[in-house]
Structures are given as C-alpha cells and as structure tokens.
Amino acid sequence: MGLPPTVDGTVRRITVLGTGYLGTVHAAWLAETGFDVLGMDADSAKVGALSRGVLPFYEPGLEPLLRSGLKSGRLSFTTSYAEAAAFGDLHFICVGTPQRAGSYRADLSQLHSCLRALGTLLDRPCLVVGKSTVPVGTAELLAERLSVISPAGAACELAWNPEFLREGHAVHDTMRPDRIVAGVTSARAEAVLRQVYAKQIAAGAPFLVTDLATAEMVKVAANAFLATKISFINAMAEVCEATNADVTMLSEALGLDPRIGAAALQPGLGFGGGCLPKDIRAFMARAEELGVEQALSFLREVDAINMRRRARMVDLARELAGGSLRGQTIGVLGVAFKPDSDDIRDSPALDVAATMHRLGAAVTVYDPVALVNARKAHAELNYAGSALEAVTSADVTLLLTEWQEFRDADPEELGGVVAKRNIVDGRNALDPDPWRDAGWTYRALGRPY
Ligand code: UDX
C-alpha cells in the first residue's frame, strides 16, 4: 500500500468528516495535539458557527479547545469535499448512524454518501478511518467500495477506530481514553494510527490492534453491555418496589464488588441519548441478518425494562396526583437525556414530560441548557426560565435529569412556590430525608416510601 503519503513518512494533515459531538471533539483535540486539521460538514450553518469559534451544541470544555485550534491556525472548517480530499493524508469519518425510521436497523445513508463523495476525489495514497458506530461487516464492504471508487485505487486504505466518548465528558474521554482500538488491514495503517494517538499511548492508554470486524464489534458490544447493566439495576428496582427494598443501597452494595463495579449501575429513569438505545436495536437487527438473533434476544428485554421505567415514572406521578393527570399542573426539572448535555435524542425525561401532557396535564419544564432543543421537538410543553419558575403552582414536581443544580435544590425554597409538596425523583438523585422533613411526599423509582 502507498501509505503514508508525506515525504518523511509522517502524517500532518488530517480531515474530520462530520462535525457532531464526536467529530468536533476529535478535530479540536487533533489540532491541539499539533496536526493541521480540516473539519468538513455538509451543514453550512454548523461550519459557519464552528469557524467563528461557536459550538452548535453544548459540551463542557470544548469551546476553549475549538478556539485555541482556530487561533493557532491549525484548525479550520469547510463544507467542501474537494477541499477535504485535497487537504488530508488521513481522513476520519465521524458522521451519524441513527436508527432507521420504522426499523431497528441503523440508517447508514450519511456514511455511504460521505464515503462516495470523498472516495471519488481521493487521487493519492491515504488512509480513511471510520469512527462512526456501524453494524459489524460494514467496514469490510466500505473498504472494497473505496478501492473501487477512488482514483488512487488500492492505495486508499480503510481502517476502523471506534470512539467511546461520553457526551458531557467528551473532552476528557478523548484526551484520556480507556483504550484505543485500531481495526486495520495493514501494518502501515497501524503505524499511522499509532502516530495519531502517540500522546495517549505514551500516557498509558492500551492500543489494541484488531481486524475490521472485531473493531466494529468492540463498540456495539460495549454499548450493549452498558445498556444491559443499566437495565439490570432497573430490573432490580422493579423487584425492590414490590418488596419495599431500596435499590440505591442495593446498587451501592453491588458496585463495591470489583467483579461488578459501580459504573453504569445507577438506577432511575433509564438510558436514552443518541447511542445506547439505537445501538442495541441495530445490534439486534444485525444479529438477525447474520442468523444469530437468539444470541442477542436478551437485548429485547434490556430495551423493554428500559422503556418500562418511563411508564412507571408516569404511574408514580399519577398516584401522587390522586389518580388522574388530567388538569394537573406538573413541574419538570430536566429534559436532556443526561446532565451536562443539551442532547434530547431519545431523552427519557422529555418522553415522560410529553406523555404527561398527552394525558391531560399542564406541563412546565426547565433545563439548564436543553430548552432550545426541547422546544423545537415539543412545542406543546410550557418552558420556564428557572427551576423555581417551572415548579411554581405545581401539583407534582418531577426530577428527570440529575443536573447538579437540581441535586442542590432547597426543599424549602421549592416548597414555597409549589401548590403541593409532591416530588418524584426519577434519577434517585436526592436525599429523601430533608425533603420529607420539609413536608414533601417523596417518591422515587425502586425506593421504599
Ligand atoms: C454512551 C457510552 O457510554 C459511550 O461509551 C458511547 O461512546 C456512546 O454512548 P452517552 O450516550 O454519552 O455514552 O451516555 P452515558 O453516560 O453512557 O449514558 C447513557 C444513558 O444512560 C443516559 O440517559 C444516562 O442517564 C443513563 N444512565 C447511565 C443510567 O441510567 N444509569 C447509569 O448508571 C448510567
């Protein structure tokens, strides 16, 4: 193969295609590391904002990194595939792979159109590296296609390098990854990726070299495991509710066993976001295509447990409202799918708020950063400028996303504005005692009352 392309054998110019959460963090970090980076996105509004140093989404710590890259001249953005193809020796593909409408399968249209548009312009040796989450087997197909469509032919090689960053912690996770997985088909591709990640490797990050299919599998298996762990503790919460046991104590005790571990064991309203829900569904769909659907049939239950938590939340609110939500005033704290994010994709919180509205309640929501996105998706809800405003005159208050601001809320202050001191803690984020001491009826998922 013809890699790497520069005279002294080092890669300097890198493009990042797709500037969502993943691509923007990756591009900014590569620039910070010293590479010349061109971020490419078809969305001109996004490219315009990024070029001005303005993030089109919320991610703590990312804006300073973006601005530093722009200021150094090492980071720029474009909407042009031709510019990207001409610029880069190495191209990272970070486009979205959402759930296909009406199906469990992944929608790979952005990935295919990106590869087609870029690939047909690649006229010199280069490495194209996929970071998007894809059904296993996709990379092999794309590698074949790339060698056919690119003018440079087989000198354009494909590798797969999944990304494990969590929204809200994206900068930290990018700078200090738990592991780097390089799915490659040549020693040269491995050498290029080792060069790109030299800093993290030097800092101790394990670098695992695999084939393409294993690299794809690592990502979907990791997300399937995390989803399973979250649904496991939420299934225990269902049992705790039937026995008056406390799932938060159970979680703490289980998490202290090093074979189990405390991460992804927080019981509550369950998982949402742009990754876990669609990834487990796409994994099931792919297993079916491969004839091994039985192996992943448990993921159906993982999904079902997760969705039942949302229904249970609505039930608890209905109980506190005296049996019906019709005509009740509901104050909602949090609509993002998790704290420190403005992402509302498949947000359990927003789903619950919208369901309450459909059941006849007047629902007012507040979130520190996700209101703009929420309003676009659910114009029927009322939006407040503060937590206090959201719960003013509320018959029932719901804590649905565990922002620190809500964890720190003062039961007396909120109690002073609500109509009734009823709260359902959907994230097991509060200490019930001060709330009960202040006269609140406190209910939570999986906890006794
Ligand atoms: C996830 C994976 O963690 C990450 O490695 C992958 O790259 C993308 O998908 P993310 O979607 O950003 O990251 O969020 P994560 O922190 O994993 O939380 C996912 C959802 O699970 C959130 O809705 C969160 O509230 C919920 N969750 C998480 C729980 O309900 N309990 C937990 O213990 C952990």
Side-chain angles (χ1 to χ4, degrees):
M1 295 285 158
L3 285 171
T6 50
V7 180
D8 61 358
T10 58
V11 169
R12 290 204 193 86
R13 291 154 69 94
I14 301 178
T15 74
V16 176
L17 297 110
T19 57
Y21 289 93
L22 162 58
T24 304
V25 185
H26 193 58
W29 166 78
L30 285 170
E32 189 71 14
T33 309
F35 294 101
D36 290 324
V37 183
L38 181 63
M40 188 267 152
D41 202 291
D43 182 339
S44 56
K46 220 188 238 182
V47 165
L50 290 169
S51 303
R52 291 193 306 277
V54 176
L55 275 184
F57 52 85
Y58 179 83
E59 182 61 44
L62 181 54
E63 205 158 270
L65 209 60
L66 169 69
R67 294 199 169 163
S68 148
L70 293 170
K71 198 165 164 223
S72 71
R74 285 196 300 272
L75 179 61
S76 54
F77 295 90
T78 182
T79 54
S80 159
Y81 277 107
E83 266 182 50
F87 181 90
D89 309 316
L90 172 59
H91 305 276
F92 281 103
I93 299 191
C94 300
V95 297
T97 52
Q99 187 174 338
R100 203 184 285 198
S103 160
Y104 268 20
R105 297 170 70 196
D107 174 357
L108 301 180
S109 57
Q110 289 180 57
L111 185 63
H112 288 306
S113 66
C114 177
L115 193 92
R116 196 177 324 114
L118 178 73
T120 50
L121 297 166
L122 296 175
D123 57 6
R124 63 177 200 273
C126 62
L127 181 65
V128 176
V129 182
K131 284 188 93 61
S132 311
T133 304
V134 290
V136 58
T138 305
E140 196 183 334
L141 287 177
L142 295 183
E144 278 167 29
R145 197 167 301 164
L146 184 65
S147 66
V148 172
I149 63 170
S150 66
C156 277
E157 204 180 322
L158 190 104
W160 217 260
N161 167 223
E163 178 56 56
F164 304 100
L165 62 78
R166 296 160 300 165
E167 286 177 28
H169 304 268
V171 173
H172 171 275
D173 290 354
T174 300
M175 289 183 165
R176 281 179 282 282
D178 301 319
R179 73 289 207 196
I180 299 157
V181 176
V184 295
T185 54
S186 78
R188 303 307 301 266
E190 177 189 336
V192 169
L193 287 172
R194 278 191 190 277
Q195 189 200 327
V196 168
Y197 293 110
K199 274 202 178 146
Q200 287 104 323
I201 296 169
F207 186 85
L208 306 174
V209 180
T210 72
D211 52 75
L212 296 177
T214 305
E216 295 168 310
M217 273 291 289
V218 174
K219 178 59 195 270
V220 285
N223 276 358
F225 190 82
L226 292 171
T228 303
K229 217 175 158 193
I230 297 167
S231 275
F232 176 85
I233 198 63
N234 284 334
M236 296 305 106
E238 287 189 36
V239 181
C240 284
E241 279 160 20
T243 57
N244 244 2
D246 185 335
V247 75
T248 62
M249 290 307 301
L250 176 68
S251 168
E252 189 180 339
L254 291 178
L256 288 169
D257 184 331
R259 295 167 302 172
I260 298 174
L265 209 60
Q266 176 62 36
L269 196 48
F271 58 82
C275 293
L276 298 191
K278 64 102 177 162
D279 285 351
I280 61 166
R281 291 172 195 153
F283 200 16
M284 283 186 268
R286 184 64 184 137
E288 199 172 332
E289 287 168 1
L290 294 167
V292 289
E293 63 269 29
Q294 258 191 332
L296 298 189
S297 60
F298 71 95
L299 287 178
R300 257 178 217 288
E301 203 46 50
V302 166
D303 204 357
I305 292 164
N306 193 51
M307 299 310 283
R308 277 206 299 274
R309 290 290 77 188
R310 302 181 189 187
R312 177 68 182 145
M313 189 73 205
V314 174
D315 286 345
L316 281 179
R318 193 191 282 112
E319 271 174 40
L320 283 191
S324 167
L325 287 165
R326 188 151 297 282
Q328 294 288 309
T329 300
I330 307 290
V332 168
L333 302 179
V335 287
F337 88 103
K338 70 176 199 181
D340 299 314
S341 173
D342 65 350
D343 198 342
I344 54 145
R345 286 176 294 173
D346 205 347
S347 165
L350 195 52
D351 194 10
V352 166
T355 303
M356 300 275 185
H357 173 84
R358 275 198 303 280
L359 293 172
V363 181
T364 303
V365 305
Y366 169 71
D367 187 285
V369 299
L371 290 184
V372 173
N373 289 339
R375 197 193 296 264
K376 277 188 218 150
H378 286 280
E380 77 278 15
L381 303 175
N382 304 315
Y383 291 89
S386 68
L388 220 51
E389 190 187 332
V391 305
T392 296
S393 306
D395 297 306
V396 183
T397 295
L398 307 181
L399 194 166
L400 301 182
T401 312
E402 69 277 32
W403 286 90
Q404 191 60 43
E405 172 184 342
F406 305 148
R407 290 181 184 274
D408 296 340
D410 177 0
E412 275 306 337
E413 195 183 7
L414 260 55
V417 299
V418 295
K420 294 184 186 139
R421 294 192 176 200
N422 290 320
I423 186 162
V424 189
D425 178 0
R427 291 293 180 179
N428 285 306
L430 304 174
D431 175 358
D433 291 342
W435 289 81
R436 288 189 173 129
D437 292 349
W440 287 77
T441 302
Y442 171 94
R443 298 289 299 272
L445 295 166
R447 283 172 113 169
Y449 57 96

